[in-house]
Amino acid sequence: MQKIKTKDMILCALFAALIAVGAFLHIPVPVVPFTLQLLFTMLAGLLLGGKLGALSVCIYIAIGLLGLPVFAEGGGIAYVLKPSFGYIIGFVLATYVTGTIANQTRTPSYRRLLVANFLGLAIVYICGMVYYYCISAFYLGTPIGLWPLFLYCFLLVVPGDIVLCLLCAVLGKRLIPLMERK
């Protein structure tokens, strides 16, 4: 098993904190709140790599499930029963994929960063929408139709997330070389 360096532990903790802060920087949208969590999870993947980036998101989730109100709508173990928790699960997978794709080269191009970000975005939305549908139908007993699910859980919030993907690629292109300098 590979040991994690102190610097990497600090960076993981920093990104877990940034993701928590991103949850509180939100724009109210019906059903699923638009937050800056996606920006910080993608940056975690781009700057820390797939494994450490995903670890930072797992730390964030663990802190929230232990009861600290770091999620967009609170915290605690019962949060897993909220329909929007699927997006948080998607953050882990998306961060891993984003970081793995982006860090295949030492100096990724804008194109590589954008592809990584948009694949990560697709993963977040797929996980989020499937989870939302399942929790609504099987736990809450109020099934949501496919069109309302698509409208409220995708169409209304994806434009802002596309902007975040573009912003993250620009930030990643500038910050990745700084992370390489040790």
Side-chain angles (χ1 to χ4, degrees):
M1 186 169 143
Q2 183 182 4
K3 286 185 147 184
I4 298 177
K5 298 175 185 173
T6 304
K7 174 188 145 194
D8 293 333
M9 284 191 251
I10 292 168
L11 288 171
C12 284
L14 172 68
F15 272 98
L18 286 172
I19 296 165
V21 169
F24 294 104
L25 302 173
H26 66 279
I27 298 167
V29 177
V31 183
V32 179
F34 173 76
T35 68
L36 292 183
Q37 290 171 298
L38 181 70
L39 175 70
F40 294 121
T41 57
M42 286 190 298
L43 277 175
L46 295 181
L47 301 179
L48 303 180
K51 290 179 184 174
L52 290 175
L55 177 61
S56 68
V57 178
C58 287
I59 292 167
Y60 162 72
I61 292 172
I63 290 168
L65 292 178
L66 286 173
L68 288 171
V70 295
F71 299 137
E73 298 172 343
I77 194 70
Y79 206 86
V80 298
L81 299 175
K82 283 193 163 285
S84 60
F85 188 72
Y87 293 92
I88 296 172
I89 294 169
F91 289 152
V92 176
L93 301 171
T95 301
Y96 179 79
V97 169
T98 300
T100 302
I101 291 171
N103 289 289
Q104 288 177 344
T105 64
R106 277 189 75 141
T107 56
S109 64
Y110 280 113
R111 182 174 187 236
R112 177 175 290 281
L113 295 174
L114 284 171
V115 167
N117 289 343
F118 284 123
L119 279 174
L121 181 65
I123 290 168
V124 169
Y125 275 98
I126 289 168
C127 291
M129 291 172 67
V130 168
Y131 196 89
Y132 197 101
Y133 182 83
C134 291
I135 289 292
S136 293
F138 302 116
Y139 174 70
L140 297 176
T142 55
I144 186 170
L146 292 180
W147 171 247
L149 178 74
F150 183 72
L151 175 67
Y152 292 118
C153 298
F154 181 75
L155 281 181
L156 289 178
V157 289
V158 80
D161 287 339
I162 289 172
V163 172
L164 291 180
C165 285
L166 298 171
L167 175 62
C168 190
V170 171
L171 290 172
K173 185 71 173 161
R174 291 178 177 255
L175 294 174
I176 288 172
L178 297 176
M179 295 295 288
E180 291 295 319
R181 294 190 333 202
K182 295 181 179 176

